[in-house]
Amino acid sequence: MLQASIKNFSYKKMYEEELENFDYKDINTLPSKCLLNYKNKVFAISKWVSPKRTRSYPYARIYDTFDSLANKVITIIPIFKDEGISGDMDYLQWDTISLMSLLNIYVIIGFYDNAQKHTKIENKITKQYFNNKHIQRKLDELSIYHQSALHWNLKELNKVHCIGMLAKTAYTNIAHTLNIQLHNIQNIDKFIEKITQDKDSFMNFSRNKAMRAQNRESLTIQPKEHVGIGTKTKITIQNYLGGQYFFTIDDVIYRDNMLYICESKHSKTSLLPSSDDIKDGLLKLMLYNNLDSIDGYKRFKVILRLTSDVLQDKITLPSNTIESFLSKNAFSKIQNSMLANLNKEAKINNFEIWINNDTIEN
């Protein structure tokens, strides 16, 4: 287990994906990430399908909206999500809000009030829809709000009891309308009690869940990871906002008095992992790259490790030979552009990207 701290945060993004621009009608008709024209303002918006960070690449969407030229960067997260007794039940966590505050991202805590019955699995619901009026009210407030994301997010946490009760009522109605069984409603009552009791209660409730998830993750190798050059290790990061972030580092290597922290992404069939996988890794690197200290280690370096079963070449970015590497490999035009931008991003932010076949050592 590594213990680390973070005091300041800075990062320059070079790998940009153009976001589509929309006028507001209904939050549920917008894509998962976009630029939103709203009352003479432009917001960079992303949506989470669940409060759980491992569902559907929310970090990749956060990365895409981060450091945009919008008036504000906003992300919309459901307070909890019940998929029915045959599905999952996920809850908002304190450290998710704290991480968004660190990134200066304004959080709208939303709730689902409509859904469809799963066509194949009994007592499971799908295609859940946010309550649009609630989201619109929050966008109205943000259009005239002039304080930091930290102030906004702390203010919104003081209102979670009301949102939690609205979400509880909405799910009760969904269960009745669709004639399906949800998870024990007492668990929702306990969650609402914990998050509204006081900040420490919410933090402890969330962190106990996060630590259990961290323990599970540290014992699991995902298909898109290839771990083998180092040790899969838990890390707890504390920041000046009171946030604690519980992550599992895919590969930790100690070599020549240097600790290497590697976020690893793997592809079995493509030359590179997917762009969403890479962006998910980059968002974690934003955090790791701003670490002030790691207990017990004087020197450490942050690495994004991209491996592939089919790539026969290797390179470490940043590199002055990136053009030669690109010309020798059959990357797509989109991949060439991405790698060129990642080369710049690694250089300007002072981290490394190791790209190779998983059998080739760096």
Side-chain angles (χ1 to χ4, degrees):
M1 165 76 82
L2 296 175
Q3 299 286 338
S5 65
I6 183 170
K7 294 181 180 178
N8 299 300
F9 189 93
S10 62
Y11 192 88
K12 177 62 176 175
K13 193 174 76 170
M14 302 301 294
Y15 175 27
E16 299 280 357
E17 180 176 323
E18 187 173 351
L19 297 173
E20 290 187 81
N21 201 293
F22 291 86
D23 294 326
Y24 189 83
K25 294 181 181 177
D26 186 321
I27 192 62
N28 298 293
T29 64
L30 294 175
S32 60
K33 58 186 180 185
C34 67
L35 293 176
L36 179 64
N37 303 314
Y38 198 88
K39 295 191 173 180
N40 298 318
K41 300 288 177 65
V42 178
F43 297 145
I45 296 278
S46 63
K47 297 189 294 184
W48 295 48
V49 300
S50 162
K52 191 173 182 179
R53 66 176 178 84
T54 54
R55 297 285 190 93
S56 187
Y57 295 106
Y59 282 0
R61 296 192 290 277
I62 292 292
Y63 176 87
D64 281 327
T65 56
F66 178 81
D67 200 25
S68 72
L69 297 178
N71 295 101
K72 287 184 176 69
V73 180
I74 300 170
T75 196
I76 300 167
I77 309 175
I79 187 168
F80 51 80
K81 185 180 187 182
D82 191 344
E83 296 181 340
I85 196 67
S86 299
D88 293 315
M89 180 71 178
D90 299 323
Y91 298 91
L92 180 68
Q93 293 189 357
W94 166 267
D95 293 311
T96 297
I97 305 295
S98 185
L99 177 57
M100 295 303 105
S101 297
L102 188 66
L103 296 172
N104 200 35
I105 294 172
Y106 296 79
V107 177
I108 295 178
I109 303 171
F111 64 95
Y112 293 121
D113 69 348
N114 200 355
Q116 296 180 19
K117 184 184 289 190
H118 199 284
T119 57
K120 296 181 180 179
I121 303 175
E122 188 177 1
N123 283 318
K124 186 174 182 180
I125 56 177
T126 186
K127 295 182 179 179
Q128 300 196 36
Y129 300 93
F130 282 110
N131 180 285
N132 183 59
K133 289 183 178 179
H134 170 73
I135 302 298
Q136 190 167 4
R137 281 195 299 269
K138 293 301 170 184
L139 290 172
D140 287 342
E141 291 179 34
L142 281 168
S143 69
I144 56 173
Y145 192 81
H146 297 290
Q147 294 196 66
S148 69
L150 170 62
H151 285 88
W152 169 270
N153 294 341
L154 291 176
K155 175 179 73 72
E156 290 303 290
L157 282 174
N158 291 327
K159 302 176 181 178
V160 289
H161 180 271
C162 178
I163 300 171
M165 294 305 294
L166 289 171
K168 174 184 171 182
T169 300
Y171 271 117
T172 301
N173 292 336
I174 289 171
H176 177 74
T177 302
L178 299 181
N179 191 29
I180 58 105
Q181 184 181 357
L182 297 175
H183 289 85
N184 191 336
I185 203 165
Q186 291 181 348
N187 292 333
I188 293 177
D189 292 330
K190 290 177 183 177
F191 171 70
I192 294 173
E193 179 185 358
K194 291 290 183 184
I195 65 177
T196 56
Q197 199 171 54
D198 55 58
K199 186 181 78 169
D200 290 338
S201 176
F202 185 18
M203 288 167 62
N204 292 332
F205 175 80
S206 297
R207 286 170 183 171
N208 286 334
K209 284 182 171 293
M211 283 189 286
R212 289 197 294 270
Q214 183 191 50
N215 288 333
R216 291 192 300 270
E217 188 178 355
S218 67
L219 300 173
T220 304
I221 297 177
Q222 300 295 333
K224 294 181 180 180
E225 298 170 2
H226 185 87
V227 182
I229 64 167
T231 304
K232 197 163 190 175
T233 303
K234 293 182 288 185
I235 184 170
T236 300
I237 302 168
Q238 182 159 347
N239 80 340
Y240 69 98
L241 300 174
Q244 279 189 315
Y245 314 109
F246 300 90
F247 290 103
T248 299
I249 301 170
D250 297 323
D251 284 300
V252 171
I253 308 160
Y254 190 67
R255 181 193 299 164
D256 300 328
N257 295 318
M258 177 71 76
L259 183 73
Y260 293 89
I261 299 173
C262 303
E263 179 67 21
S264 298
K265 301 296 181 181
H266 181 68
S267 175
K268 290 182 177 294
T269 59
S270 300
L271 290 171
L272 292 171
S274 72
S275 62
D276 278 344
D277 270 321
I278 292 171
K279 291 169 186 175
D280 180 89
L282 285 168
L283 193 87
K284 294 173 189 173
L285 250 68
M286 286 185 187
L287 197 60
Y288 300 157
N289 206 47
N290 280 278
L291 293 180
D292 179 65
S293 65
I294 300 178
D295 289 354
Y297 296 92
K298 294 182 178 179
R299 300 170 65 226
F300 59 91
K301 188 176 285 289
V302 177
I303 310 295
L304 178 61
R305 181 171 173 253
L306 307 179
T307 58
S308 163
D309 283 351
V310 298
L311 182 66
Q312 298 303 312
D313 206 347
K314 70 174 184 176
I315 192 172
T316 296
L317 304 181
S319 171
N320 293 326
T321 62
I322 180 71
E323 295 298 333
S324 174
F325 175 75
L326 295 179
S327 65
K328 289 190 296 185
N329 292 276
F331 294 117
S332 68
K333 183 178 180 180
I334 292 176
Q335 288 174 328
N336 278 332
S337 176
M338 176 181 68
L339 289 172
N341 286 317
L342 289 178
N343 191 50
K344 297 174 185 176
E345 193 159 326
K347 183 176 181 178
I348 199 169
N349 294 291
N350 195 32
F351 64 84
E352 291 184 0
I353 302 177
W354 296 350
I355 304 173
N356 55 37
N357 184 288
D358 59 17
T359 62
I360 302 174
E361 292 189 6
N362 283 84

